[in-house]
């Protein structure tokens, strides 16, 4: 059973949609959001029919969550399908490995999520040609000819460059290529790739979609039935399914998505404006800043600019002192949670960034408190 978007009216506002998304029809004396269904198998006498047969194939809790995500990524569209996965990487892998074969070519960003180089190595081991180009300035256009699939990550993680989804998608389709957009950093409240022409919207629901740092989840939303059937088949083969408790927690968390996103994005812009005035900071990036190199394109396709800021401190030592001095910000990887996090991204070794590069994820703390904490930590780390 697919997690298809429904035609049931849910209101046009993002907040209304978020709190109502994926809810079943009301039944007297039943909860508005049913609890998680823990089942490895279902009663199945006689003919094999009906939506639920075995726990690796479908689950009622997934169905409600998939409907909810579909309503956010493609509101009002009944022709899209959503599939949830055990993690964002499970969702990314499902699209890439279900859509291409030996001899095909794939275009990936050079500045995307740090696991993509591992994905590239595996694709090449299977005989797939992998081409790469940066996100900025739509550079992937230059290596698109003859490709089977274009993978876009915008805004890019962690550099926060932005590319023109509609322009790249039109060019890719003209050349016969499919387009997948990693929508993790933007969330469906920031941009809707399918409305901009993409074939797939893919994301890690671990991040801001669920927003509490307690769920690993991924999803794929697609508008081509044949392509999504291949993604579903890949999920069945590798068994990369979400647990029912994770799916239920994710659905519960989506209800506050608009509240969290609006607070976090507003504070991120405030913090970015403050950091712009600090002499020890270079390379400040936030797509919501009017003078950011990505702002013009971002403003054309994004409705919100995200909760992540990046900047560089002069040295590794200064960056580490800054992180230790923060009191309201956890030194942790990932982003999008209600509690602010920051990290020296180079410590992982996979991102082509300076030693003092900081990826800062703005949480839901009071803006004044967070800004004061960051400014104090900058002063204390100066030595």
């Amino acid at each position: 059973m697919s997690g298809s978007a429904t035609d049931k009216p849910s209101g046009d506002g993002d907040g209304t949609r978020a709190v109502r998304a994926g809810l079943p029809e009301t039944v007297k004396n039943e909860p508005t959001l049913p609890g998680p269904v823990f089942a490895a198998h279902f009663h199945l006498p006689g003919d094999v029919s009906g939506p639920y047969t075995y726990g690796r194939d479908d689950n009622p809790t997934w169905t409600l969550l998939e409907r909810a995500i579909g309503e956010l990524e493609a509101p009002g569209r009944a022709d899209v399908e959503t599939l949830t996965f055990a993690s964002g990487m499970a969702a990314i892998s499902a699209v890439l490995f279900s859509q291409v074969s030996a001899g095909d070519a794939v275009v990936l960003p050079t500045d995307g999520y740090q696991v993509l180089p591992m994905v590239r190595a595996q694709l090449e081991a299977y005989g797939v040609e992998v081409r790469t180009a940066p996100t900025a300035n739509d550079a992937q256009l230059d290596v698109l000819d003859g490709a089977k699939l274009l993978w876009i990550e915008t805004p890019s993680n962690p550099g926060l460059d932005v590319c023109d989804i509609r322009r790249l998608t039109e060019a890719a389709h003209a050349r016969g290529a499919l387009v997948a957009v990693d929508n993790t950093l933007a969330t469906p409240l920031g941009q809707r790739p399918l409305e901009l022409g993409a074939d797939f919207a893919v994301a890690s629901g671990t991040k801001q979609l669920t927003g509490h740092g307690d769920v690993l989840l991924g999803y794929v939303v697609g508008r081509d039935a044949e392509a999504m059937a291949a993604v579903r088949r890949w999920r069945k083969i590798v068994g990369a399914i979400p647990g029912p408790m994770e799916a239920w927690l994710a659905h519960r968390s989506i209800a506050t998505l608009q509240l969290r996103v609006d607070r976090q994005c507003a504070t991120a812009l405030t913090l970015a404006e403050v950091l712009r005035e600090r002499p020890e900071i270079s390379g400040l990036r936030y797509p919501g800043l009017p003078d950011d190199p990505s702002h013009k394109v971002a403003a054309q396709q994004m409705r919100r600019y995200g909760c992540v800021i990046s900047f560089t401190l002069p040295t590794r030592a200064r960056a580490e002192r800054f992180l230790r001095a923060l009191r309201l910000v956890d030194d942790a990887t990932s982003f999008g949670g209600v509690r602010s996090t920051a990290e020296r991204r180079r410590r992982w070794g996979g991102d082509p960034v300076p030693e003092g590069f900081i990826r800062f994820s703005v949480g839901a703390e009071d803006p004044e408190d967070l800004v004061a904490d960051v400014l104090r930590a900058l002063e204390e780390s100066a030595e």
Side-chain angles (χ1 to χ4, degrees):
M1 184 176 186
S2 67
S4 300
T6 68
D7 293 322
K8 183 174 69 173
S10 59
D12 292 330
D14 285 335
T16 302
R17 187 175 291 113
V19 300
R20 305 295 305 178
L23 296 181
E25 296 294 336
T26 56
V27 177
K28 185 177 180 179
N29 303 128
E30 293 294 326
T32 54
L33 177 62
V37 175
F38 298 100
H41 59 267
F42 300 84
H43 287 296
L44 197 64
D47 293 337
V48 178
S49 61
Y52 306 110
T53 58
Y54 186 65
R56 190 181 64 248
D57 296 325
D58 263 310
N59 176 290
T61 311
W62 303 353
T63 298
L64 297 180
L65 173 61
E66 288 168 350
R67 287 176 181 169
I69 293 171
E71 288 169 15
L72 295 174
E73 285 280 2
R77 292 279 299 270
D79 61 339
V80 302
E81 182 177 358
T82 303
L83 295 170
T84 49
F85 290 81
S87 68
M89 278 310 306
I92 289 170
S93 300
V95 173
L96 286 167
F97 290 100
S98 71
Q99 301 303 312
V100 300
S101 305
D104 291 335
V106 172
V107 176
L108 301 179
T110 56
D111 53 345
Y113 182 49
Q114 66 167 359
V115 182
L116 287 182
M118 296 174 63
V119 174
R120 174 180 183 171
Q122 193 61 56
L123 286 166
E124 290 175 337
Y126 289 157
V128 176
E129 178 191 354
V130 179
R131 307 170 189 165
T132 60
T135 298
N137 302 313
D138 301 340
Q140 289 172 299
L141 285 172
D142 297 334
V143 293
L144 195 54
D145 285 351
K148 176 73 177 296
L149 176 68
L150 168 63
W151 190 272
I152 296 171
E153 185 178 305
T154 181
S156 62
N157 171 30
L160 302 182
D161 277 318
V162 171
C163 61
D164 187 330
I165 296 174
R166 191 179 298 279
R167 181 187 181 204
L168 284 166
T169 296
E170 289 175 354
H173 287 167
R175 293 164 170 82
L178 295 168
V179 179
V181 177
D182 187 329
N183 206 32
T184 302
L185 202 146
T187 81
L189 269 59
Q191 68 190 9
R192 297 177 185 145
L194 269 62
E195 290 184 356
L196 297 168
D199 300 288
F200 304 99
V202 188
S204 168
T206 308
K207 310 298 193 296
Q208 198 172 19
L209 185 82
T210 56
H212 291 78
D214 54 8
V215 173
L216 283 173
L217 190 85
Y219 69 82
V220 178
V221 184
R223 55 197 181 95
D224 182 87
E226 184 177 351
M228 287 301 292
V231 175
R232 176 183 286 275
R233 185 167 57 250
W234 180 265
R235 184 179 71 171
K236 180 181 178 73
I237 291 169
V238 301
I241 59 173
M245 189 66 192
E246 286 78 5
W248 184 85
L249 283 169
H251 197 169
R252 178 215 58 177
S253 298
I254 284 174
T256 62
L257 179 61
Q258 184 260 347
L259 297 173
R260 292 184 281 107
V261 167
D262 279 355
R263 172 63 168 261
Q264 290 170 267
C265 290
T267 304
L269 179 59
T270 298
L271 180 59
E273 290 171 340
V274 170
L275 292 176
R276 186 169 50 183
E277 306 304 318
R278 297 292 301 195
E280 68 270 67
I281 284 176
S282 62
L284 175 68
R285 297 299 304 272
Y286 183 66
L289 287 171
D291 58 350
D292 186 272
S294 292
H295 181 72
K296 182 178 180 181
V297 175
Q300 295 171 357
Q301 64 191 24
M302 299 183 73
R303 296 177 298 128
R304 295 170 175 87
Y305 298 108
C307 64
V308 177
I309 300 168
S310 67
F311 56 90
T312 300
L313 289 168
T315 64
R316 169 178 175 170
R318 176 71 188 276
E320 290 175 345
R321 290 197 303 270
F322 167 71
L323 292 170
R324 285 195 301 269
L326 291 165
R327 297 172 184 167
L328 299 179
V329 183
D330 296 329
D331 189 340
T333 195
S334 197
F335 57 84
V338 291
R339 288 173 288 278
S340 292
T341 61
E343 68 172 335
R344 193 181 66 83
R345 193 64 186 164
R346 186 67 180 271
R347 67 181 177 172
W348 298 100
D351 295 309
V353 294
E355 288 286 357
F357 181 95
I358 300 292
R359 185 180 70 181
F360 195 110
S361 174
V362 174
E365 298 88 358
D366 286 309
E368 300 83 1
D369 293 339
L370 186 62
V371 169
D373 189 45
V374 170
L375 292 178
R376 181 195 50 75
L378 286 171
E379 294 294 336
E380 289 185 7
S381 64
E383 287 192 356

